[in-house]
């Protein structure tokens, strides 16, 4: 066997897999339940699993392509370990692992994106490879932005009419299914494109051989077409972000731009660069002041009768200048955050288990006049880390951001002008996501951008950007020793490499099978809603993928409860069959999630309906009602739904 040829082939396949993952924001699965969550998760997980298996085979052939040690990688691994511990000790390990069809996150999702970052940092080791991959990422971002713009200006165009949109003050979500997810993705694209544009005008650092300061570095790209691409990408991404109407994304974009300007004002290589940084920072501060003034003027001039009357045609401008709209967005989040902090205080060590925030928060959501809402996420990543993973998860989260900031700052200080530009704007994009994550949570698109940029930061760290940081250098020395020891052991034991590669291939096969099963389950739920064979397809969805079966089970319980009077009056035999079936499914649902107030709510309603024809169900209905009120004291499952505000 020609080992170099095999190594080159596997390396090329790994690079191709990594590039294909960049298409995740454009993926969706039509005719499935929650097509954007299902489509993106199944697509990204499948590709990451295959790419990871190919990388494991590559390492078995050539151990030099193994993991590269660093503090960022250690922090990522610590976060994944904290999530695994919290899942094992939490209220529902199954929910922690697999989440729901609605979100498709959980520990399985985190593990796949960790593998993506691990492989990125291992195989992309030079600036040229990273430049190609980041530009490919910008190409996908440009397509996503153009789709969003076309969706707004030509909503009835073929293919585009299948994408969602709101009719009143439309907020464009395009291929993400959620405007905030699209906006989080686009802010990173806009800042990265701006970074490449700034980089194209930066002077190359003097070469070791004494080249002049103004001489171009080998391979420097500053031609008109490239600048046109970067400029168009930045402008289109920013405009599409405006069409999403996301206040958090605008704050993230502004914060990222401010970070880039501040770093140039502080670390710019020339007086001109530092001067431009200061002026840019002053302009951004002036823009923020104008925005605050506009909010104040609009609040002072609006009465109760026209508080929600649109003042602008642009959805983002309308939302960011309206005190009422800002308040309606912020108030439920504040209640949610307070509930999460109370939940953290109850279980501070290991939390309630990754993915179980809705269980933790329901205990502390306050009662309001217009009813209550419990979110499945905190809409604040630090609060969710603390509530679901405890002190260890929160510490790993803070360590990750601290290590990332340290690497970006050290490399920005030590790099030449062109490398500094890309470092600063990559750091700015990360800062923008950090700001957004205070009111948002991860989706497949934001996972992609965060892990892609962390992989880039790991490359900077591994290339010695942290050489002046003694504490970080000690971390790297210790980690390097561990990794080198493992690499030496693997080189001396080819059988061990084969076993590890086989294990990676088996994990990839398991991931592919799970992704297919989840897709089939979501497709069956969709058919149940639209094909007319409701019960048959709902049962198929439960059997397709058992870890996510509680979603269709809740749909079954609620539908049987709603239709019970009609069933008993007109189809008594079918009613008896459904009664027996739902009881079996209820036992399975409680075994999977015994502390899910959602399950207890559905069963309280279901058994209360059964009790109208069979008094023996009154006691189970009462037990589930009492358990519901223990788990969610301010959410009465038998109370009528609150009326919509006028």
């Amino acid at each position: 066997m020609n080992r170099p040829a095999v190594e080159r082939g596997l390396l090329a396949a790994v690079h191709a897999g990594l590039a294909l993952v960049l298409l995740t924001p454009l993926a969706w699965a039509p005719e499935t339940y929650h097509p954007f969550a299902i489509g993106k998760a199944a697509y990204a997980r499948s590709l990451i699993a295959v790419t990871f298996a190919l990388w494991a085979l590559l390492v078995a052939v050539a151990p030099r392509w193994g993991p590269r040690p660093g503090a960022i990688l250690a922090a990522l691994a610590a976060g994944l370990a904290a999530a695994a511990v919290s899942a094992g000790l939490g209220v529902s390990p199954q929910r922690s692992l697999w989440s729901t069809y609605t979100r498709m996150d959980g520990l399985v999702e985190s593990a796949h994106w960790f593998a993506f970052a691990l492989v990125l940092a291992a195989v992309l080791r030079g600036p040229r490879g990273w430049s190609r991959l980041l530009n490919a990422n910008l190409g996908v971002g440009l397509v996503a932005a153009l789709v969003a713009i076309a969706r707004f200006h030509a909503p009835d165009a073929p293919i585009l009419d299948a994408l969602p949109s709101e009719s009143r003050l439309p907020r464009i979500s395009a291929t993400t299914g959620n405007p905030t997810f699209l906006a989080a993705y686009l802010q990173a694209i806009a800042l990265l494109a701006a970074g490449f544009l700034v980089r194209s005008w930066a002077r190359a650092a003097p070469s070791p051989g004494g080249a002049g300061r103004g001489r171009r570095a080998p391979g420097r790209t500053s031609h008109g077409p490239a600048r046109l691409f970067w400029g168009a990408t930045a402008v289109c991404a920013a405009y599409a972000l405006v069409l999403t109407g996301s206040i958090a994304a605008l704050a993230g974009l502004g914060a990222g731009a401010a970070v880039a300007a501040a770093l140039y004002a502080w670390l710019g290589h020339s007086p001109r660069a530092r001067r431009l940084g200061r002026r840019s920072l002053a302009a951004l501060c002036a823009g923020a002041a104008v925005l605050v003034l506009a909010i104040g003027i609009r609040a002072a001039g609006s009465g109760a009768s026209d508080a929600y009357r649109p003042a602008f045609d642009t959805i983002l401008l309308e939302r960011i200048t309206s005190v009422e709209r800002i308040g309606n967005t912020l108030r439920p989040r504040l209640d949610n955050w307070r509930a999460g902090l109370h939940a953290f205080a109850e279980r501070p060590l290991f939390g309630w288990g990754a993915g179980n925030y809705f269980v933790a928060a329901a205990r502390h959501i306050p009662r309001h006049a217009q009813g209550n809402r419990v979110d499945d996420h905190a809409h604040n990543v630090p609060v969710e880390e603390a509530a679901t993973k405890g002190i260890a998860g929160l510490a790993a989260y803070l360590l990750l951001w601290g290590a990332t900031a340290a690497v970006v700052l050290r490399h920005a200080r030590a790099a030449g002008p062109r490398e500094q530009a890309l470092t600063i704007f990559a750091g700015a994009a990360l800062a923008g996501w950090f700001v957004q994550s205070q009111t948002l949570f991860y989706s497949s698109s934001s996972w992609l951008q965060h892990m892609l940029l962390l992989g880039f930061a790991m490359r900077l760290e591994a290339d010695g950007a942290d050489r002046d940081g003694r504490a970080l250098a000690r971390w790297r020395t210790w980690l390097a020793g561990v990794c080198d020891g493992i690499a030496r052991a693997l080189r001396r034991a080819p059988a061990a490499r084969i076993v590890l590669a086989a294990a990676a291939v088996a994990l990839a096969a398991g991931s592919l099978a799970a992704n297919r099963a989840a897709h089939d389950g979501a497709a069956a739920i969709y058919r149940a809603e639209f094909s007319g064979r409701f019960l048959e397809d709902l049962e198929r969805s439960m059997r397709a993928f058992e870890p996510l079966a509680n979603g269709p089970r809740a749909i079954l319980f609620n539908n049987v409860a709603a239709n019970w009077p009609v069933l008993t009056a007109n189809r008594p035999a079918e009613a008896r069959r459904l009664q027996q079936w739902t009881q079996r499914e209820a036992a399975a649902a409680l075994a999977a999630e015994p502390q899910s107030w959602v399950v207890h709510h559905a069963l309280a309603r279901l058994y209360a309906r059964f009790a109208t024809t069979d008094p023996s169900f009154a006691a189970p209905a009462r037990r589930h009602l009492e358990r519901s009120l223990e788990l969610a004291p301010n959410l009465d499952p038998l109370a009528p739904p609150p009326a919509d505000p006028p």
Side-chain angles (χ1 to χ4, degrees):
M1 180 178 64
N2 188 341
R3 181 174 292 234
V6 172
E7 180 181 347
R8 287 195 301 270
L10 287 171
L11 186 60
V14 170
H15 278 271
L18 294 173
L20 288 172
V21 175
L22 301 180
L23 296 173
T24 297
L26 302 178
W28 83 90
E31 298 188 354
T32 60
Y33 183 66
H34 292 287
F36 298 99
I38 297 293
K40 285 174 174 42
Y43 175 83
R45 290 179 189 179
S46 298
L47 275 172
I48 291 170
V50 171
T51 304
F52 180 77
L54 290 170
W55 172 72
L57 293 172
L58 174 65
V59 174
V61 172
R64 65 192 182 92
W65 294 107
R68 306 183 78 185
I72 295 176
L73 181 60
L76 272 175
L80 189 63
V85 171
S86 76
L89 300 176
V91 295
S92 175
Q94 182 167 295
R95 174 92 175 212
S96 294
L97 281 172
W98 297 102
S99 181
T100 64
Y101 282 117
T102 307
R103 297 301 184 193
M104 291 298 290
D105 45 25
L107 185 58
V108 170
E109 178 83 345
S110 301
H112 279 79
W113 288 110
F114 171 81
F116 177 71
L118 177 68
V119 176
L120 269 177
V123 302
L124 284 174
R125 300 188 176 184
R128 183 170 297 179
W130 271 105
S131 180
R132 284 197 296 264
L133 189 69
L134 292 176
N135 274 292
N137 181 55
L138 294 181
V140 177
L142 178 59
V143 173
L146 290 174
V147 170
I149 294 169
R151 184 71 182 95
F152 179 78
H153 290 287
D156 298 324
I159 300 177
L160 295 179
D161 59 358
L163 299 175
S165 179
E166 295 178 8
S167 58
R168 180 176 176 272
L169 289 175
R171 298 180 61 192
I172 300 301
S173 56
T175 58
T176 62
N178 187 312
T180 57
F181 294 165
L182 176 62
Y185 171 71
L186 290 173
Q187 75 85 21
I189 294 295
L191 287 169
L192 276 176
F196 273 100
L197 196 59
V198 171
R199 178 176 177 263
S200 71
W201 275 298
R203 291 181 176 182
S207 66
R213 185 174 176 82
R215 180 176 297 179
R216 289 185 179 181
R220 179 183 178 187
T221 302
S222 59
H223 300 98
R227 285 179 177 168
L228 180 62
F229 165 68
W230 295 322
T233 301
V235 170
C236 290
Y239 178 51
L241 187 152
V242 169
L243 297 179
T244 68
S246 173
I247 300 173
L250 180 66
L253 184 64
V259 165
L263 288 176
Y264 264 108
W266 176 29
L267 301 173
H269 277 268
S270 67
R272 181 172 178 269
R274 293 190 292 273
R275 186 167 56 250
L276 286 174
R278 289 192 296 269
R279 290 176 179 175
S280 299
L281 188 59
L284 289 167
C285 291
V290 169
L291 177 59
V292 172
L293 181 62
I295 294 172
I297 292 174
R298 184 174 178 187
S302 63
S305 61
D306 60 352
Y308 293 95
R309 185 178 301 165
F312 300 98
D313 292 332
T314 304
I315 179 62
L316 183 58
L317 191 59
E318 166 63 25
R319 296 188 81 229
I320 64 174
T321 58
S322 170
V323 175
E324 290 77 13
R325 295 182 191 280
I326 294 173
N328 282 345
T329 298
L330 189 58
R331 275 191 294 271
R333 280 177 172 45
L334 290 174
D335 289 336
N336 199 5
W337 301 342
R338 280 193 290 266
L341 292 175
H342 284 301
F344 169 60
E346 279 192 71
R347 300 180 67 157
L349 293 181
F350 302 107
W352 294 80
N356 285 293
Y357 185 81
F358 83 112
V359 173
R363 298 169 180 264
H364 304 285
I365 288 292
R367 183 179 298 278
H368 293 299
Q370 293 183 346
N372 306 303
R373 185 183 75 181
V374 178
D375 291 317
D376 53 2
H377 286 288
H379 288 267
N380 181 293
V381 174
V383 170
E384 183 153 353
E385 291 290 308
T388 60
K389 302 172 190 173
I391 293 172
L394 182 61
Y397 170 82
L398 296 175
L399 175 63
L400 175 63
W401 283 104
T404 303
V407 168
V408 170
L409 287 174
R410 287 188 175 93
H411 195 268
R413 181 184 289 115
R418 295 184 68 246
E419 188 72 8
Q420 183 189 62
L422 199 54
T423 300
I424 284 177
F425 278 89
L430 285 167
W433 167 243
F434 178 81
V435 169
Q436 288 178 83
S437 68
Q438 307 311 300
T439 58
L440 198 57
F441 52 92
Y442 281 99
S443 68
S444 295
S445 299
S446 50
W447 268 119
L448 168 64
Q449 293 306 299
H450 192 188
M451 294 302 106
L452 180 66
L453 293 171
L454 281 187
F456 178 72
M458 281 190 262
R459 172 242 151 178
L460 301 180
E461 182 184 8
D463 285 350
D466 59 331
R467 58 182 174 272
D468 295 327
R470 295 181 180 178
L472 204 56
R474 285 197 296 270
W475 263 101
R476 287 199 67 237
T477 301
W478 179 80
L479 287 170
V482 172
C483 291
D484 287 344
I486 294 173
R488 283 195 300 271
L490 290 175
R491 280 195 294 269
R492 294 169 183 170
R497 297 203 303 271
I498 294 173
V499 169
L500 290 176
V505 171
L507 286 173
S511 176
L512 291 174
N515 296 331
R516 176 60 185 270
H519 178 275
D520 290 347
I525 299 175
Y526 180 88
R527 291 194 304 270
E529 294 287 345
F530 296 102
S531 71
R533 298 183 301 172
F534 180 78
L535 294 175
E536 293 84 349
D537 283 317
L538 207 59
E539 185 172 14
R540 287 192 185 95
S541 71
M542 296 177 200
R543 305 298 167 251
F545 193 55
E546 180 65 28
L548 294 178
N550 272 10
R553 283 176 183 138
I555 296 174
L556 173 67
F557 300 155
N558 291 329
N559 274 273
V560 171
N563 291 282
W564 188 248
V566 176
L567 285 167
T568 53
N570 299 293
R571 302 175 65 180
E574 180 69 5
R576 285 193 297 272
R577 186 184 77 82
L578 287 173
Q579 192 174 75
Q580 294 171 357
W581 182 26
T582 53
Q583 286 182 275
R584 291 194 300 271
E585 297 300 336
L590 290 170
E593 296 184 79
Q595 295 196 47
S596 170
W597 59 268
V598 174
V599 173
H600 287 285
H601 274 212
L603 292 177
R605 288 190 291 265
L606 178 66
Y607 290 156
R609 285 302 184 106
F610 286 172
T612 60
T613 57
D614 184 348
S616 66
F617 283 95
R622 195 162 47 249
R623 285 198 303 271
H624 284 292
L625 175 61
E626 292 170 355
R627 185 58 173 152
S628 296
L629 295 176
E630 289 177 10
L631 297 171
N634 290 322
L635 298 173
D636 187 347
L638 302 183
D644 292 332

